Structures are given as C-alpha cells and as structure tokens.
Amino acid sequence: MQLLRTAQDMAMACRGAARPMGLVPTMGALHEGHLSLVRQARQDNDSLAATIFVNPTQFGEGEDLTEYPRPLEDDLAALDREGVDLVYVPPVSEVYPPGFNTWVDVPGLGDLLEGAHRPGHFRGVATVVAKLFNLIRPDRAYFGQKDGQQTVVIRRLARDLDIGVDVVVLPTVREADGLALSSRNAYLNDEERRAAPVVYRALCKAQRLWETGVTDARMLREETRRVLEAEPLVERIDYVSVADTETLDELDHIDGAAMVSVAVQIGRPRLIDNVVLGQ
Ligand code: PAF
C-alpha cells in the first residue's frame, strides 16, 4: 500500500492505477462499517484508493473537530490488510491552502435534516468530496447508508457536476443490538451505550408499521417519536423524518420509497440513523 500526503503525489499515483478504480473516502477511526465498503470496493475494482482526512469544514462551531479520534497507525494497518493500493492522508493545508475560497454547495438537500441542525455541514462535505473526486477520478466511490442524507447530497453533486463517478451506497453495519456503527459511538458511556439501541428500535417500529400496510407518514413519524421519547436517556430529538429518498421532502403518504431518519442526543454524541422503506 502506498501512502500519499500531497495532492500532486496522489494525482500522479492515481494516473498510473489500474482501472476501474474504487474510492472509499473516510475521516479515519475505521470500524467494520468502513471496512465493509473497502471489501466491496476491493471486489468490484482493479485498484482501490482510500482517504483519511478529518475535514474541518464539515464541523460546526462547538462540535468535536479537535477530539475526533485519529488512530492513524491502526487505520493504515486495517486498510493495508484489506488490500487498499493507495491511501491519501493529506494535512489540512494541502486540502485548504491559504487563499482557498471555492465551495460546493447543494442548497435545498443540504439545508434539510442534518443541514438544519448543523449549518454549513454539507457545504463542507460536498466541497471535500468534490475535491477528492477531481483529484482521484475514481470510477466508483463507496459510502454507507448510515449517513443517508450525505449519500443523497453526494449523488446529486456527482450528477450536477458531471463528475462521472458511480456512487455506490452499501447497507448500514450494526452491532448485535442494532446500534449503527459510528466512530462517535466511542463517546457513549456504559449506561448511554445500553440506551442507544432505542434509535434502531424506533426505526424498526416504523418499518414494521409500514410492512403491515401503514402508509400515513405522519403516523409513522408519531410512532417513531413515541419509542424515542420512552427512553429517559434521550435528551433531545432533533428530528424524526419520513422523506422522499431523492428530494428529502417530507411525505404525507408513502407510495414509493421513503427514508425514515432520526437524530437524537444521548449523552455526548448526537446519534443519527435511518431505514429505507420500499427499496
Ligand atoms: O462520511 C464521512 O466520513 C465524511 O463525511 C466524508 C464523506 C469522508 C467527507 O469528509
């Protein structure tokens, strides 16, 4: 595995790489969710690149940018074991050099749900992902369904900017009790960790209702919220959404696919998760 630190070196290495080439962009602190993307990407492509970059522009003020876990040696060893060919680990100054002032924004999609609670978050995500796509020029790029809105935003930016990358979205990887894997789960204390599966239980409630024929989206939102409210360690519910999978507009009635998504505060971390109905 080749480790590249500058955009110039990464671009050169990518130019010589076998095609098709897959890309798994990450912020590091890798877990089985990331590794499931790497394994699929390894199978699908003749060469494979990954990136590790804790992107400062997608963190809001007061968020966990400085504390975000950075176990670089472990991450590199895991990527090497999974057969990654190229790993790009740039310093912040390489991605955002002095004078940097061009942004990729996906207004609308990027202002809803997570965007409403984390202003500027998706501008940061879209900008760094567009930069990585431009630099690496992968044929396929892999993202987890866990960050459902992020996948919708990235698909849209790839389409709108004619990037020519196939955005592949793979299922959320969960603990045995249903908690979606996330690098931020490390912030949960033991008691909060025991409470956290309520997030997936609430989503499963919506899924079960829909499977038994309930298509009234308002009822699904209410029942999902009820499950979350019954857990005393849920300090705040930021949203419970039943939305169109492409526009993210809230639905009254489900007659095609819908994404049920929630964000809650349990202890220090905000936990987000979703299930897609009708896919
Ligand atoms: O999902 C993530 O880890 C990040 O948002 C991404 C896509 C790597 C961009 O920084």
Side-chain angles (χ1 to χ4, degrees):
M1 183 173 78
Q2 239 184 303
L3 170 61
L4 296 310
R5 299 265 187 193
T6 69
Q8 203 184 3
D9 288 349
M10 185 62 181
M12 211 131 72
C14 292
R15 248 173 256 139
R19 296 280 158 172
M21 182 197 221
L23 168 65
V24 181
T26 82
M27 298 207 300
L30 303 180
H31 50 63
E32 276 300 309
H34 298 108
L35 298 182
S36 72
L37 304 180
V38 171
R39 287 179 197 128
Q40 185 64 50
R42 183 66 278 176
Q43 273 184 31
D44 295 347
N45 298 283
D46 286 350
S47 64
L48 177 55
T51 64
I52 299 176
F53 179 63
V54 182
N55 174 34
T57 64
Q58 68 186 75
F59 288 77
E61 238 168 80
E63 290 188 11
D64 56 341
L65 172 61
T66 49
E67 301 94 314
Y68 198 84
R70 290 166 169 83
L72 183 60
E73 290 311 313
D74 292 350
D75 287 347
L76 292 175
L79 295 176
D80 196 23
R81 271 196 305 275
E82 298 298 340
V84 168
D85 299 303
L86 304 173
V87 59
Y88 181 44
V89 188
V92 172
S93 59
E94 191 66 22
V95 180
Y96 300 111
F100 178 91
N101 197 21
T102 301
W103 298 93
V104 178
D105 211 351
V106 188
L109 284 183
D111 298 329
L112 300 165
L113 303 173
E114 282 303 287
H117 291 271
R118 303 181 68 189
H121 170 68
F122 284 113
R123 185 173 96 142
V125 170
T127 300
V128 80
V129 169
K131 281 178 66 89
L132 294 173
F133 284 171
N134 268 335
L135 177 70
I136 296 168
R137 301 185 183 260
D139 298 286
R140 302 189 183 96
Y142 293 77
F143 299 89
Q145 179 58 40
K146 155 85 169 51
D147 295 308
Q149 183 177 9
Q150 172 170 278
T151 67
V152 178
V153 168
I154 291 171
R155 275 213 167 105
R156 178 68 68 87
L157 92 83
R159 192 194 75 184
D160 287 355
L161 299 180
D162 301 317
I163 292 189
V165 62
D166 185 7
V167 175
V168 181
V169 177
L170 296 181
T172 302
V173 177
R174 299 182 181 283
E175 303 279 8
D177 60 10
L179 179 65
L181 296 195
S182 161
S183 309
R184 290 186 170 107
N185 291 350
Y187 299 149
L188 294 163
N189 69 25
D190 289 350
E191 199 191 354
E192 291 156 1
R193 173 63 190 81
R194 281 193 292 276
V198 70
V199 174
Y200 187 54
R201 273 206 313 282
L203 294 169
C204 288
K205 174 80 189 254
Q207 177 143 27
R208 272 198 311 278
L209 287 169
W210 177 79
E211 282 165 358
T212 57
V214 178
T215 55
D216 177 350
R218 201 192 35 191
M219 184 180 291
L220 294 186
R221 280 188 283 271
E222 277 172 15
E223 291 298 321
T224 305
R225 186 174 283 275
R226 212 189 298 279
V227 177
L228 294 170
E229 283 172 349
E231 169 50 63
L233 291 193
V234 171
E235 287 163 33
R236 197 182 70 236
I237 301 173
D238 280 349
Y239 57 81
V240 174
S241 160
V242 178
D244 182 277
T245 52
E246 275 178 36
T247 64
L248 299 180
D249 290 334
E250 290 301 316
L251 297 170
D252 293 329
H253 182 82
I254 304 173
D255 53 15
M259 181 166 77
V260 185
S261 58
V262 301
V264 301
Q265 187 88 33
I266 296 185
R268 178 150 170 243
R270 257 178 101 251
L271 301 181
I272 63 169
D273 199 353
N274 67 84
V275 293
V276 178
L277 309 179
Q279 236 177 23

